[in-house]
Amino acid sequence: MRQLHRQWCGTAPLVLVLCLGLGADTSLAEETPAGVETPQEVAQQQDSPPQVEASSPDPTGGATSNANAGPEAVKPPAREVCHDDEDNDGDGLIDCDDVADCLAFATCGWILGGWVWIWTIFGVTLAALILYAWFITARLRRARSEETPHND
Amino acid sequence: MNQAFEKEHVVGALGALMLAVGCWLALFVVPPMVNFGDLGRPLFIHVPTAWASLLVFTVAFVIAIIALRKRTRGWDAALASSVEVGVVLTALLLFQGMFWARPTQNFWWTWDPRLTLSAVMFVSFAGVLSLRSFAEGLHRRIMWTAVSTIIAYVNVPLVYFIVKITDRGIHQEHSTPQTVSDVYHLALRLNAFAMLFLAYWLIARRSRLILAVQGGADAGPPAPQDGPELVAGVEG
């Protein structure tokens, strides 16, 4: 659920802003030092055990502080670590073979070293600029043709 | 409306040519980056888009001040156009950042200070356009658009300088020609100027469109306080 929420919050800037108050997972950002990193460094960060926030069991053995907290609530979300030769999420797929989790990971060679992402970024940017220019030009032409009387 | 050749086409054509060459250099000519390999290539379009969006919003801020004083249709159209082009560029900027962060940092989004402020910038200027659509009459429309633009602009310098204020987050501090390898300079500069030229062309064309659509009949009758200049100052 938490991961689903995180993915939804990443789909569009506008949605993200709407998600501001819903507490998206920022644990990775807090672990990330200033400056840019290599994918290998990110992979190393993934090796550290996931942090569990809130809903920890009541030490007295009674009810937990979170009403929904059960055994699943304290279990960290399983996610494949794409560079440790282990099946971290228990789905039988290891590292880059786990397409669901490692699809976007740059060093998984079968996505052409990230060229899919590169083409997407350049392609969408150029297409958006062309579409916007076309939209303006077409509307301007129409507005002017309506403005100018025909001499038929 | 003058339908003769309009000068902004020269700038637009130059921008398109420079962007084509800049993207070709970025994609096929410059060597892969040390840290990111080929995935560093999107930075050659991401960074110029960021520069252009910040500059366009700065232009909008200046136009807003002038529009408040002049209050003509021409300045109103220029203001709305520059805000709209800035919003488009910021939307592209956020898209590029998200699609670059996913393969390199393994997340779509993080509440990095600059990222968050950029999202706020996008929403606030989109809000300016939304607010503008509710205003009736030229006088009120200029007033609302200009004042809300000035308010929204407060965030823009923060977006630029936040990396100097705090070192938290994924954005590094400002790069300079000394901190970037020589082989990357040409592609970066070409795309930077290309984005600026294209932004200028888009603003000019959008202004002409607004003026053409509004024509002589502005939405609603002119308010009593609107002087003759409001009706006369059509040429943008």
Side-chain angles (χ1 to χ4, degrees), chain B residues 76-121:
Chain B
D76 174 58
L79 174 58
S81 308
S82 50
V83 171
E84 186 179 294
V85 171
V87 167
V88 169
L89 289 174
T90 308
L92 283 174
L93 176 71
L94 293 172
F95 162 81
Q96 294 160 352
M98 285 163 54
F99 271 71
W100 181 77
R102 185 68 178 94
T104 55
Q105 320 252 356
N106 211 18
F107 53 75
W108 289 103
W109 184 268
T110 179
W111 297 108
D112 164 75
R114 178 175 263 184
L115 225 57
T116 307
L117 288 173
S118 299
V120 170
M121 181 171 76

Side-chain angles (χ1 to χ4, degrees), chain A residues 103-115:
Chain A
L103 173 66
F105 211 68
T107 45
C108 287
W110 49 267
I111 61 163
L112 306 175
W115 274 97

Side-chain angles (χ1 to χ4, degrees), chain A residues 12-150:
Chain A
L14 203 56
V15 177
L16 282 168
V17 173
L18 294 176
C19 290
L20 258 169
L22 301 179
D25 182 7
T26 56
S27 57
L28 185 58
E30 287 160 6
E31 292 167 13
T32 308
V36 290
E37 299 173 356
T38 64
Q40 287 75 18
E41 286 170 337
V42 175
Q44 286 168 3
Q45 287 182 356
Q46 285 187 330
D47 290 340
S48 59
Q51 297 177 355
V52 183
E53 297 175 23
S55 67
S56 55
D58 188 344
T60 62
T64 58
S65 54
N66 184 337
N68 296 324
E72 293 121 25
V74 295
K75 191 177 175 183
R79 187 183 174 92
E80 182 67 20
V81 177
C82 305
H83 285 273
D84 65 349
D85 291 326
E86 288 179 20
D87 179 17
N88 309 92
D89 55 2
D91 63 356
L93 301 169
I94 298 173
D95 292 354
C96 293
D97 291 334
D98 194 337
V99 178
D101 280 346
C102 299
L103 173 66
F105 211 68
T107 45
C108 287
W110 49 267
I111 61 163
L112 306 175
W115 274 97
V116 171
W117 296 92
I118 297 168
W119 282 113
T120 303
I121 292 170
F122 275 88
V124 171
T125 300
L126 297 179
L129 287 173
I130 291 169
L131 269 177
Y132 183 50
W134 174 81
F135 164 77
I136 294 173
T137 305
R139 281 195 62 195
L140 181 58
R141 192 170 295 156
R142 194 190 316 154
R144 283 179 173 173
S145 67
E146 288 168 2
E147 200 174 66
T148 308
H150 295 285

